[in-house]
Amino acid sequence: MSDSDDSSLDISFTLDSSEDEDPERDTSTFFAGTVKVSITVGRTTISVVEGDISNQQVDVILNSTSKKLDLNAGKASKALLTVAGNSLQTECKEKYPTGIQAGEVAITGGGNLKCQHVFHTSLLKWSDTNSKQVHKSFIENSLIEMDSRGLTSMAIPGLTTGYLRFPKRAAAKSKCIYIQDYLEHHTDTSITDIRFVIHSSDQRTLNAFVAEVKRWRSFINQSVHCRDVFSTQIGNTNVKVKIDKIQDQDVDVIVNSVNSQLKLDKGSLSHTLVSVGGNSLQTECTNKYPNGLQVGQVAVTSGGNLKCKQVYHSCIGDFKNQDKSESKKSIQEMVKTCLDTAHTNNMTSIAFPCLGTRYRHYPAKLSAQAMFDGIRDFTADNVSSSVSSVIIVVYGSNCEKIAKVFEAEGSSDATGGQSTVRGTKEFCSKMYQTELSPPKSWTHYSSVKSVKQWKSSKPEDGKYFKLIEIQPTDNVYQAIESLVHDTWESGKVGHGRDAAGLGSHKTLAVKKIERLENIDLWESYGHLRSQLFHKASDIDIFDPLENLPNSKGPIKTSENIQSVLENEIYPEVNEVYLFHGTKADKFDAVMSKGLDFRMAGDKAMFGSGTYMAESSTKADQYTDPRTKRSADEKKMILARVCLGKICLLQKAMGNLKKPPCSSCQQVACEHGSGHACDSVVGDGGWIFREFIVYNQFQAYPEYVITYIRQ
C-alpha cells in the first residue's frame, strides 16, 4: 500500500526493550483521531494522527503565529484560539507585551483546550535565511522546556507546511530528525508521547508525515541485530535471552504485560500482538474476564494468528523506588505464575518480554534479577515440569544494553550460582571449566548448543563450515568496515620490501564481509584458548602489550574496536582481533584448515609462524603477489588471536619456531613454565609492528573482508 492510499490504522510499532503496557495510553479516546503510524524510541512513542489538534488531550500543543503573538494571524492559530477562548490571547498580551523573536517559545495555559499549555512561536518562510535553524530551535527548545517541567505528551501540527511554504516532505523530515537527535541525547527524558496531528483536509501533509515516520521505523528495524544473546540451564529448563521481535516467536506461549482492565489498545506490545494475532485476543479477554485482572493474575487466551498456542496476559505494579523488594516481588511472582499456568496446561515453551523496564520504569538489573528468580523458584518447585524452554525477548533502540544486563544475571547460573569478577584469576578458572559453545554472534552454528552437540550430528554435505554473508546494515559489518578504515595508515602505503608494487592507492573500499563459521576450527581454537585461561588462572592475568617494557602502546585494532566486536573477546588471555592478508590461491585452504603457518615461507623476521597485522595497510600488502599487483577484488582476514603471554622483541630472530622465554629471551632455558611466552610482537622501529603466533590454532579466521584498492 502506498502512502497516499494509507487510510487504515497502521500500528506496527518498533518495540523497545520491555514492551510492557503504557498505563496512560488509550488510542480509542486519547488520540481524538486515527493513528496512521507509530514507532517507539526509548521510552517515547511518536505517532502520526489524522485529526483535529484542538481536540488532543496532551500536556502541550505547539502553535505558530506572528511575532506580535496575534493569535488571529494564521489559519491554524485562529482555529486554536476559537476553541481555547479569549483567555489565551489575553495571557499572551500580559506575559509578552512586546511579542517574541522568531524561534522563541512563549508559554500560556490551554484555556478551554484539553491541554495544560500552549507553546507559541513565530517561524520564518522557507525562502528566508535561517528558516530551517529557527524551525529547529523551536522544536528543540520546546522539548527542553517540557523536560524541565516534567511534562510527558505533546501534539505538533504541520507548523511550516501552510503559509510558510516549507515543502511537505522537508517539513516532516526535519521534525523527525530534530526529535530523533533530542531523544538520542536525552535518554532519561520525561516525554513519552509525541504526536504529529494533521487535519484530514490536508492529505498531502498527512502522507508526508506518515512516509517519514515509516522511514524512521524502517531505519530502526534495520539497525537492530536480531540474535541469540545467551543460553543457560536452570534445573531441567533451558533459558535463553535473545534480541528479536516477540510476535515472531514460535513457542507454545507468549506473555503479554498488560493493564489491569485488559484493554489491549493500550501499550505497544498489546497493540502489536493484536495487529498480528487479530481482534480475537481482545474479544476473548472481554468475554472471559469482564472485570479485568488483579496484579499477579493471568488471563489465558488463544494465540489467534500468532505462532503460539496461547497468550498469557498479566500485569505488574509500578516500580517503587522506596520499596524495591516489593517491586521485585511483583515481577518475580508474575513470572512464576505464568510458568505454573504453562505447566498446568502442559505447555513446553514460553516467551517473555523484559518486564517493567519501559513504562513501569523498573531498572533493567532489578527486572533481570526478578525474572531469573521467578524462573529459579518455578524450577525448584517443579523438577519434572513440562516447560523445557523459556525465552526472554529483548528488542528496540536500547536492546544491546538491556540484553547485557540480562546476560550478566543469567551467567550466575552458568557459573555455579554466583557471578565472578572479570579480569581475575577466578574468572579465568571459571572460563576454563565452561563448556565450549560457538560465539553468540554466529547464526548457522548458534550458541544455544555446545560445540560437542553440534558435532554429534554430521552435516548432510559433510562440511563443518559455512560462510555467512553479513549485510551492510548489520552493526558487525559497520564495525569491521570502520576497523579497516580506522587502522589504515596511508603514509605507509608502498613502503618496505613486502609493499613492492604498491603506492598509488589511498584507501580501501569494502565490498563484502562474510563470517566463517567452522565448527571444527572453532573447537581447536577454543581448546587452546581454554588452556590459556588455565595458565592465567595459575600464574596471573597476562599483561597487555601496552604494559610491557619498551612497548610503543596498545594494539591499533583494540584501540579502534567497537563494542559489538569487543563484547565477544577476552582480554584476560590477550584475545584480540588482527588482520591477515591472504592470496586468492590460499583462500579455500584457510577457510577449511585455518591459518596454517606451515603453508607459508620460512624466510621471515621471527621464524616459522603465523604473522598478523594491527593495520589494514600491512595486511593489504599480502593479498596479491609483489610482482603482479592488480585492481581486482582482494580478500583479507580479520581473525581472533589469543596472544596469551606476549614476548616483545626489538631485534629479529629468524630461527624461531616457538616464542622465547620472557625472562632470558631464549627458546631453550631452565626457567619455569610461568616464564614461557605464547606469542611474539616484533617492535624494533620497523615500519609496522609484527604479531606472530606459532600454533596453528592460536588464530581463528572469523571474518573475510572483500575489498578493492582506491
Side-chain angles (χ1 to χ4, degrees):
M1 180 182 292
S2 68
D3 292 334
S4 59
D5 295 329
D6 189 3
S7 57
S8 61
L9 178 65
D10 179 1
I11 310 177
S12 183
F13 288 81
T14 297
L15 302 181
D16 193 31
S17 50
S18 72
E19 326 307 355
D20 53 353
E21 82 284 0
D22 176 357
E24 299 296 328
R25 185 184 176 93
D26 184 346
T27 57
S28 61
T29 58
F30 196 59
F31 277 92
T34 302
V35 180
K36 305 297 293 183
V37 61
S38 292
I39 63 171
T40 301
V41 179
R43 59 185 303 184
T44 307
T45 298
I46 299 98
S47 310
V48 179
V49 180
E50 182 179 12
D52 187 341
I53 196 166
S54 63
N55 288 333
Q56 300 303 307
Q57 185 177 335
V58 289
D59 291 339
V60 175
I61 290 176
L62 300 193
N63 177 43
S64 175
T65 185
S66 68
K67 290 182 181 179
K68 295 180 180 180
L69 289 178
D70 179 3
L71 302 186
N72 283 296
K75 183 178 178 181
S77 178
K78 187 174 182 179
L80 273 183
L81 180 62
T82 300
V83 177
N86 290 331
S87 63
L88 218 62
Q89 184 66 79
T90 301
E91 192 173 351
C92 281
K93 291 181 179 179
E94 291 176 351
K95 294 175 69 174
Y96 307 93
T98 60
I100 56 173
Q101 296 299 311
E104 287 185 14
V105 180
I107 301 175
T108 67
N112 296 325
L113 295 166
K114 298 175 183 177
C115 63
Q116 295 183 35
H117 306 282
V118 179
F119 288 2
H120 310 270
T121 195
S122 177
L123 300 174
L124 302 178
K125 288 184 178 180
W126 171 256
S127 57
D128 290 345
T129 304
N130 295 329
S131 61
K132 296 178 186 177
Q133 184 58 46
V134 167
H135 183 208
K136 179 181 181 181
S137 296
F138 176 55
I139 298 295
E140 290 180 344
N141 290 336
S142 296
L143 295 169
I144 291 170
E145 188 65 41
M146 285 187 67
D147 264 335
S148 70
R149 295 168 178 250
L151 303 175
T152 63
S153 54
M154 166 192 282
I156 308 175
L159 286 179
T160 55
T161 56
Y163 171 75
L164 300 178
R165 303 296 175 88
F166 273 57
K168 312 289 188 185
R169 206 64 178 256
K173 183 177 182 179
S174 58
K175 288 181 180 66
C176 288
I177 290 172
Y178 304 153
I179 292 169
Q180 179 183 1
D181 184 66
Y182 184 85
L183 295 179
E184 285 179 355
H185 292 87
H186 298 79
T187 54
D188 59 346
T189 180
S190 65
I191 305 168
T192 59
D193 175 14
I194 297 175
R195 62 189 75 166
F196 300 117
V197 184
I198 312 298
H199 199 274
S200 58
S201 62
D202 191 359
Q203 285 295 311
R204 286 182 59 212
T205 300
L206 179 66
N207 290 338
F209 275 87
V210 168
E212 284 306 319
V213 173
K214 282 185 175 180
R215 192 190 309 274
W216 189 356
R217 182 177 66 194
S218 176
F219 171 78
I220 295 175
N221 283 337
Q222 290 175 6
S223 67
V224 175
H225 172 47
C226 295
R227 61 184 178 87
D228 294 338
V229 174
F230 174 80
S231 181
T232 189
Q233 197 76 14
I234 301 180
N236 292 322
T237 302
N238 179 265
V239 182
K240 181 194 298 183
V241 177
K242 67 188 301 188
I243 296 174
D244 206 345
K245 297 177 181 178
I246 196 168
Q247 68 269 25
D248 291 343
Q249 302 310 299
D250 190 357
V251 290
D252 288 346
V253 178
I254 289 177
V255 175
N256 178 27
S257 179
V258 71
N259 55 83
S260 60
Q261 294 81 30
L262 278 174
K263 298 292 186 182
L264 304 188
D265 55 1
K266 294 184 179 182
S268 54
L269 175 58
S270 293
H271 272 299
T272 301
L273 293 182
V274 169
S275 67
V276 177
N279 291 327
S280 63
L281 273 68
Q282 179 64 79
T283 302
E284 280 192 68
C285 283
T286 302
N287 293 340
K288 293 171 67 174
Y289 307 93
N291 298 320
L293 292 176
Q294 298 295 317
V295 171
Q297 289 182 325
V298 174
V300 180
T301 68
S302 65
N305 297 323
L306 295 163
K307 297 176 183 178
C308 62
K309 297 176 182 177
Q310 296 179 332
V311 177
Y312 292 173
H313 310 268
S314 190
C315 59
I316 57 175
D318 289 323
F319 174 64
K320 299 177 180 178
N321 193 50
Q322 69 276 17
D323 193 349
K324 294 180 180 179
S325 61
E326 182 182 338
S327 296
K328 179 184 174 185
K329 185 178 179 182
S330 176
I331 291 180
Q332 186 173 338
E333 291 184 347
M334 174 181 167
V335 169
K336 187 174 186 301
T337 300
C338 288
L339 291 170
D340 284 334
T341 306
H343 175 58
T344 301
N345 293 334
N346 203 32
M347 300 291 153
T348 63
S349 55
I350 184 169
F352 288 89
C354 352
L355 296 167
T357 56
R358 189 167 160 220
Y359 290 111
R360 296 295 185 185
H361 309 306
Y362 281 71
K365 185 174 182 179
L366 187 89
S367 174
Q369 291 173 343
M371 292 190 71
F372 273 97
D373 282 350
I375 296 168
R376 294 176 189 121
D377 290 346
F378 170 77
T379 56
D381 293 343
N382 299 275
V383 178
S384 58
S385 166
S386 66
V387 182
S388 59
S389 174
V390 175
I391 302 173
I392 299 173
V393 183
V394 191
Y395 196 71
S397 57
N398 204 30
C399 59
E400 291 289 347
K401 291 182 180 179
I402 298 289
K404 278 186 184 179
V405 173
F406 274 78
E407 179 183 5
E409 177 61 26
S411 295
S412 65
D413 291 282
T415 56
Q418 59 183 6
S419 59
T420 307
V421 178
R422 291 290 302 266
T424 62
K425 293 169 67 174
E426 291 75 19
F427 176 81
C428 291
S429 178
K430 290 286 187 183
M431 289 303 299
Y432 173 66
Q433 300 171 50
T434 300
E435 180 79 22
L436 179 65
S437 296
K440 296 164 192 171
S441 57
W442 285 18
T443 54
H444 181 74
Y445 292 110
S446 70
S447 60
V448 296
K449 293 182 183 179
S450 69
V451 169
K452 291 179 180 178
Q453 288 174 323
W454 278 116
K455 291 189 68 176
S456 63
S457 56
K458 190 172 182 179
E460 293 181 2
D461 59 4
K463 297 180 179 179
Y464 285 106
F465 71 90
K466 298 282 185 182
L467 265 177
I468 309 296
E469 184 170 353
I470 304 174
Q471 297 304 310
T473 54
D474 194 299
N475 291 338
V476 172
Y477 186 105
Q478 294 167 11
I480 294 173
E481 185 177 36
S482 294
L483 204 57
V484 170
H485 294 152
D486 292 342
T487 62
W488 178 258
E489 298 175 90
S490 58
K492 296 182 179 181
V493 177
H495 293 278
R497 183 192 66 175
D498 295 330
L502 298 176
S504 61
H505 63 290
K506 302 298 183 183
T507 187
L508 305 180
V510 175
K511 295 300 181 182
K512 183 167 68 173
I513 298 177
E514 299 163 285
R515 180 175 54 246
L516 175 65
E517 299 188 10
N518 187 323
I519 201 71
D520 252 346
L521 282 181
W522 180 254
E523 182 178 40
S524 299
Y525 175 81
H527 285 165
L528 190 144
R529 186 176 65 177
S530 180
Q531 292 169 13
L532 290 176
F533 274 122
H534 182 265
K535 181 177 178 179
S537 71
D538 187 30
I539 64 172
D540 210 347
I541 304 300
F542 305 121
D543 285 326
L545 177 60
E546 60 266 30
N547 289 356
L548 298 180
N550 302 314
S551 171
K552 300 295 194 303
I555 300 171
K556 292 185 184 300
T557 46
S558 298
E559 276 190 301
N560 292 283
I561 196 169
Q562 295 183 16
S563 60
V564 68
L565 293 175
E566 187 178 29
N567 293 338
E568 296 261 328
I569 59 177
Y570 293 93
E572 290 85 357
V573 291
N574 275 329
E575 186 178 26
V576 297
Y577 276 107
L578 292 171
F579 294 105
H580 180 83
T582 185
K583 296 178 178 63
D585 61 342
K586 301 288 195 303
F587 178 73
D588 289 341
V590 170
M591 294 300 96
S592 59
K593 299 177 183 178
L595 296 167
D596 190 346
F597 62 86
R598 294 171 298 180
M599 299 163 59
D602 57 0
K603 295 181 180 180
M605 292 177 66
F606 298 96
S608 180
T610 300
Y611 285 69
M612 314 296 293
E614 61 182 331
S615 165
S616 57
T617 311
K618 171 76 168 173
D620 174 50
Q621 297 177 356
Y622 304 98
T623 57
D624 55 3
R626 281 179 279 175
T627 57
K628 195 178 179 180
R629 302 293 188 184
S630 72
D632 299 337
E633 287 187 346
K634 310 288 185 298
K635 295 182 188 294
M636 71 170 63
I637 305 296
L638 182 65
R640 291 176 187 245
V641 186
C642 272
L643 297 175
K645 188 176 179 66
I646 300 171
C647 178
L648 179 61
L649 297 178
Q650 294 180 293
K651 294 181 180 180
M653 295 180 68
N655 62 341
L656 289 179
K657 293 185 179 180
K658 61 182 261 187
C661 170
S662 61
S663 296
C664 64
Q665 295 192 349
Q666 299 297 314
V667 174
C669 67
E670 297 180 356
H671 290 111
S673 60
H675 296 266
C677 290
D678 306 294
S679 63
V680 165
V681 173
D683 190 6
W686 299 290
I687 297 171
F688 295 101
R689 290 193 291 196
E690 302 280 356
F691 296 78
I692 311 98
V693 292
Y694 297 86
N695 186 308
Q696 177 185 355
F697 302 118
Q698 211 167 328
Y700 177 81
E702 189 164 13
Y703 294 102
V704 181
I705 304 165
T706 303
Y707 69 94
I708 60 172
R709 297 170 178 143
Q710 289 185 332

